[in-house]
Amino acid sequence: MLAGWYLGEKVKELSAESSPILTQARLLRVAAATVLLLVGFLTLKPILVDIDFGAQTLSNLRNVGLLFGRLATLLLLIYLWQKWVGNISAATRQRTFIFATFILLSILTIRFSYMANYVNYDQPNEFLVYAHGNPATKQQVMPQLDELAMRLEGDKTIRVSFDNKSSWPYYWYLRDYPNQHFFGETPDASIKDSPVILAGSDKWDAVENILRDEYEATTLGYIWWPMEEYRKFSWSALFGINADPAAERGLGSRPVREAFWDIFFQRDFTKYGELFGGTYDNGKWPLRADLKMYIRRDVLAKLWDSGVVAAAYQPPVDLYAEGEIEISAELSIGSQGSGDGQLNRPRNVAVSADGHIYVADTGNHRIQVFAPDGTFAFGFGEPTPADTTPLPGQFNEPWGITIDDEFVYVADTWNGRIQKFTLSGEFVDAFGTFAIPADGSEGALEFYGPRSVALFDGKLFITDTGNHRLQVLDTDGNYVGQVGSPGFALGEFNEPVSLALDSNGTIYVAEAWARRIQALSNDLTPLSEWEIDAWDGNSLDNKPYLTTDSNNRIYATDPEGSRVLMFNTIGEYLGKFGRFGTDLSQFDLPTGITTDSNNNLYIADTNNNRILKFAPIDLTQ
């Protein structure tokens, strides 16, 4: 712009003169001055970029030779220029060089403008407008979404769900969509109310576990924020003043000068990426990410260019619709509150050999104990004050509980430990700390939100839920072993919530986010798995629990389905009972479950703030 303005002003001045504007002599002088400036500029490159003063390498000597050659050429051109324009006034020479300078700037502007333009939106050659640089935002997602919204609703009232990864820039682009739904870090079953879902790569497994085959997905790349490399340079580092390693990022370093030269004149970030790490190739700028756009099958065919023919949408079939057993609880224990015998969202239950019922009163951060007839006996434990180190006997949302002949073991979930008490509630010991194991570390006795603990043959089996593994201790808290890592293969876990063991010592693990039950041998060898066509939501509340009876039946709670599912040891469905409600045959978020020696079932009916006791299930009725 500056060059254009200056050239225009000079043309006006020349137009006012009586002599012709573009004489041959003037054109030759301007052309010669432009060449002289260009050679002078190119002579600076070896000095500024190529030469590493003090280095005695062959390439450096070659660059020094190149510098002397260009200097000789420049001096010769200056001599010839002086001989040619010796009779021209100093003012005319000055105007000629200024004119030539702006011509050179105009040429560079044209060159850079050409380099910055591109026609392939998948691979931009220049980082121009960050959110538009890749196809996901303006070339694919929004046009298809706008088209779909108009075809379905006639306006933009279509419901669109998106996660925290895609929230920027889509929070801005969806500003005209009043029914946008932000599900953040944790997708749950509510996203299925949206015909369109946008999710970042770290949510794909969880989202697809909910959606199953009801949606089609397209993977797209997008740039979510501009580069901020300038934040990595201080003024001292920029000019190479300091002697510390940060100065290597400054212009005092020849490789840095070379990288900057390539960026400025070639728009080439290759050397910069090699120096400081990162990928700056076409379409692979930093601060980019991948997302998937999920579109429900029944509406996909309404898009002009979806590229697929969508099958008619079929509502999901409940594989457990048959086999319902009508059964009512014979005993209801507890009521809402914080007093003796009252419960606040209990999550689990265990029964001692003498029939006493121990309840993990999760919301009240304590254990409540009831006599076999359901009357209150005693309680123990108290909440852990916020921002303090937990003391013995303090709890922070206990979710898991189990009992042997002498002791009670409690999974103190958000204190990241297992606490051991006598049957009368006296504190004995605590095992573990709240932690995520460091990379490469075994992480023994480090727990992240343990939600279940079970006993077998003198060993404690614990679901270390947040660390996606099982840990095994002896009853004195000594580490025995572990199995698991994040994933979906056998021996890997995705949100292992609870476990139960049958009479043979086979371990069954309920994985909430993988929606399966995985079987392992007592020595932690993976054996088999089967899919659970339930547990759709990934919310904090939707945490299923397991138990077994003396017939080796497996009972699995389906919290948000308000029911209990029954299987044999190879995963064959046997039946179900329960539905949503408040009477003695109904549940509102059934969570923990256990059996006693007579196969009576005890279920923590969490949102109804009670424990329900059922007589042994008769599958022949």
Side-chain angles (χ1 to χ4, degrees):
M1 291 178 65
L2 183 61
W5 169 82
Y6 180 82
L7 292 175
E9 292 299 311
K10 293 294 106 179
V11 168
K12 289 179 183 178
E13 291 179 13
L14 292 172
S15 299
E17 298 179 4
S18 58
S19 59
I21 297 175
L22 298 177
T23 65
Q24 184 178 12
R26 283 176 173 171
L27 288 174
L28 287 174
R29 285 199 301 270
V30 170
T34 303
V35 171
L36 186 60
L37 288 172
L38 181 60
V39 173
F41 179 74
L42 293 176
T43 303
L44 290 175
K45 183 175 184 290
I47 299 174
L48 297 176
V49 176
D50 297 335
I51 296 176
D52 189 0
F53 295 99
Q56 297 182 0
T57 63
L58 183 61
S59 61
N60 200 54
L61 291 174
R62 184 171 58 249
N63 290 333
V64 171
L66 179 62
L67 170 62
F68 282 117
R70 289 182 178 177
L71 282 173
T73 302
L74 179 61
L75 291 174
L76 176 62
L77 289 174
I78 292 174
Y79 172 77
L80 293 174
W81 169 265
Q82 290 294 339
K83 293 286 288 182
W84 182 30
V85 298
N87 297 326
I88 298 176
S89 67
T92 300
R93 295 182 197 180
Q94 182 183 30
R95 286 198 301 269
T96 300
F97 270 101
I98 293 175
F99 201 79
T101 299
F102 281 104
I103 287 177
L104 185 60
L105 290 175
S106 298
I107 293 172
L108 290 174
T109 300
I110 294 170
R111 178 177 181 271
F112 292 154
S113 298
Y114 172 77
M115 294 174 65
N117 279 279
Y118 56 88
V119 294
N120 183 353
Y121 294 114
D122 290 340
Q123 293 186 333
N125 292 324
E126 183 60 75
F127 194 89
L128 294 176
V129 182
Y130 75 91
H132 309 169
N134 274 343
T137 305
K138 297 196 73 175
Q139 282 75 46
Q140 292 189 10
V141 172
M142 294 313 300
Q144 292 194 47
L145 183 57
D146 290 344
E147 177 79 9
L148 183 59
M150 296 306 295
R151 287 176 173 272
L152 286 180
E153 309 291 347
D155 54 26
K156 294 185 177 181
T157 57
I158 186 174
R159 191 173 191 263
V160 184
S161 293
F162 60 99
D163 70 342
N164 60 312
K165 288 292 186 182
S166 60
S167 62
W168 190 258
Y170 287 98
Y171 178 80
W172 169 255
Y173 282 102
L174 294 173
R175 64 192 183 279
D176 295 330
Y177 285 76
N179 293 325
Q180 59 173 266
H181 167 236
F182 175 69
F183 61 85
E185 286 278 358
T186 308
D188 57 34
S190 66
I191 65 174
K192 296 174 73 173
D193 296 332
S194 300
V196 180
I197 300 163
L198 304 175
S201 56
D202 63 332
K203 307 293 189 311
W204 292 349
D205 287 341
V207 167
E208 290 166 11
N209 195 43
I210 296 171
L211 302 182
R212 297 293 176 94
D213 58 353
E214 299 169 29
Y215 286 68
E216 288 284 345
T218 302
T219 303
L220 304 164
Y222 69 104
I223 298 172
W224 59 270
W225 199 255
M227 286 195 299
E228 295 183 330
E229 298 296 301
Y230 60 87
R231 291 178 178 269
K232 300 175 182 177
F233 293 86
S234 64
W235 283 109
S236 58
L238 184 63
F239 292 103
I241 297 171
N242 291 339
D244 60 34
E248 293 302 311
R249 282 189 172 274
L251 298 179
S253 169
R254 185 193 62 79
V256 173
R257 295 195 302 272
E258 187 176 10
F260 281 3
W261 183 280
D262 285 353
I263 291 172
F264 190 78
F265 290 102
Q266 304 296 333
R267 320 312 293 162
D268 184 353
F269 286 79
T270 303
K271 291 179 180 176
Y272 185 85
E274 292 172 354
L275 280 175
F276 303 128
T279 303
Y280 301 86
D281 296 339
N282 289 348
K284 296 181 181 178
W285 295 92
L287 304 178
R288 71 172 296 282
D290 292 322
L291 66 79
K292 282 187 179 180
M293 182 180 185
Y294 298 88
I295 304 177
R296 207 170 63 213
R297 287 177 178 271
D298 64 319
V299 300
L300 186 59
K302 298 180 184 294
L303 291 176
W304 284 112
D305 57 353
S306 62
V308 300
V309 177
Y313 173 67
Q314 298 293 331
V317 176
D318 183 3
L319 299 182
Y320 311 128
E322 304 296 327
E324 183 167 3
I325 298 171
E326 296 292 340
I327 184 174
S328 293
E330 61 181 28
L331 180 64
S332 177
I333 302 169
S335 61
Q336 184 175 10
S338 58
D340 290 345
Q342 294 183 317
L343 304 172
N344 182 7
R345 309 198 78 211
R347 297 289 184 174
N348 219 324
V349 58
V351 182
S352 64
D354 64 2
H356 278 76
I357 302 157
Y358 290 72
V359 180
D361 188 8
T362 308
N364 286 324
H365 311 283
R366 64 185 181 180
I367 305 300
Q368 294 270 278
V369 184
F370 298 85
D373 63 359
T375 58
F376 175 74
F378 63 93
F380 58 93
E382 60 183 24
T384 305
D387 301 320
T388 64
T389 300
L391 299 176
Q394 292 181 341
F395 295 107
N396 189 355
E397 292 194 16
W399 280 62
I401 187 168
T402 192
I403 297 174
D404 63 16
D405 292 337
E406 297 182 76
F407 300 104
V408 181
Y409 303 86
V410 181
D412 186 8
T413 300
W414 295 117
N415 281 331
R417 62 182 181 176
I418 305 299
Q419 292 201 67
K420 179 179 180 180
F421 301 87
T422 65
L423 293 179
S424 60
E426 296 176 1
F427 175 80
V428 176
D429 204 352
F431 321 132
T433 58
F434 195 106
I436 299 174
D439 291 341
S441 168
E442 183 178 56
L445 290 169
E446 294 180 347
F447 297 103
Y448 182 9
R451 281 195 169 88
S452 182
V453 56
L455 270 164
F456 187 85
D457 196 24
K459 291 184 287 188
L460 294 171
F461 295 82
I462 302 155
T463 54
D464 188 4
T465 306
N467 288 324
H468 306 286
R469 62 181 180 174
L470 308 184
Q471 289 201 61
V472 184
L473 314 179
D474 65 23
T475 54
D476 292 323
N478 298 305
Y479 176 76
V480 175
Q482 64 174 284
V483 63
S485 59
F488 293 89
L490 281 177
E492 297 176 338
F493 300 104
N494 198 344
E495 194 73 2
V497 172
S498 68
L499 55 81
L501 293 95
D502 65 17
S503 60
N504 300 314
T506 301
I507 306 166
Y508 301 92
V509 183
E511 295 178 68
W513 293 353
R515 296 170 69 186
R516 67 176 177 179
I517 292 175
Q518 190 173 167
L520 301 90
S521 66
N522 194 248
D523 64 0
L524 305 182
T525 301
L527 299 175
S528 62
E529 63 177 334
W530 68 87
E531 184 178 296
I532 300 297
D533 192 50
W535 305 348
D536 289 331
N538 287 349
S539 69
L540 179 62
D541 281 332
N542 197 32
K543 304 301 181 188
Y545 277 75
L546 305 177
T547 194
T548 62
D549 64 14
S550 62
N551 299 312
N552 283 340
R553 293 181 194 147
I554 299 167
Y555 300 84
T557 59
D558 181 11
E560 292 184 351
S562 300
R563 60 187 178 177
V564 176
L565 306 173
M566 294 176 286
F567 303 91
N568 62 20
T569 55
I570 60 174
E572 294 175 334
Y573 172 66
L574 302 177
K576 67 174 181 180
F577 62 93
R579 60 189 65 181
F580 179 78
T582 59
D583 69 26
L584 293 180
S585 64
Q586 298 174 329
F587 303 107
D588 185 358
L589 205 75
T591 309
I593 185 170
T594 193
T595 57
D596 62 19
S597 58
N598 296 316
N599 287 340
N600 294 302
L601 278 168
Y602 299 79
I603 299 170
D605 187 11
T606 299
N607 282 348
N608 283 328
N609 298 290
R610 63 185 180 179
I611 304 298
L612 294 179
K613 176 185 177 182
F614 294 85
I617 303 295
D618 181 5
L619 291 179
T620 63
Q621 64 178 354

